């Protein structure tokens, strides 16, 4: 399941870079359905912890929407990531934010208030967090 989400993230990254638009099906609906099917077929005791982390991500995503220039698809991915990789999602998002800072500084220096693709950074953070432990 983890690698299926990675495929969705890579496709979403390409769409985010190329069009600055990502389908809600790729970022939220299909991954959520896969998670529900997975937990029905293979119940996991960690689901409660993952749901709590996902709820925390809802709150953080709302703050990201208010404070930064990231889009709704980025926030949906940040909400879904804990359901796939648990606590490592927090590391993935932290990695994404840290790695994106130089890019943000360059883009915001040239074009103030310009949106930039954040999903590729989330994908990189996702990949690095998988191999962190």
């Amino acid at each position: 399941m983890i690698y299926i989400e990675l495929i969705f993230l890579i496709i979403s990254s390409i769409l985010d870079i190329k069009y600055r638009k990502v389908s809600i099906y790729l970022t939220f609906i299909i991954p959520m359905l896969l998670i529900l099917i997975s937990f029905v077929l293979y119940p996991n005791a960690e689901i409660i912890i993952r749901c709590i982390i996902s709820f925390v991500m809802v709150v953080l995503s709302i703050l990201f929407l208010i404070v930064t220039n990231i889009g709704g698809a980025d926030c949906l991915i940040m909400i879904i990531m804990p359901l796939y990789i648990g606590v490592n999602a927090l590391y993935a998002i932290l990695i994404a934010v840290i790695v994106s800072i130089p890019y943000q500084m360059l883009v915001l220096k040239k074009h103030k208030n310009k949106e930039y693709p954040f999903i590729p950074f989330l994908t990189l953070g996702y990949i690095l967090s998988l191999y962190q432990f």
Side-chain angles (χ1 to χ4, degrees), residues 65-76:
L65 279 172
I66 294 170
V67 176
T68 66
N69 289 339
I70 66 172
D74 307 322
C75 292
L76 289 175

Side-chain angles (χ1 to χ4, degrees), residues 88-106:
N88 286 347
L90 300 174
Y91 297 122
I93 294 167
L94 181 64
I95 291 167
V97 169
I98 290 171
V99 171
S100 70
I101 288 173
Y103 179 79
Q104 291 176 30
M105 291 172 62
L106 289 173

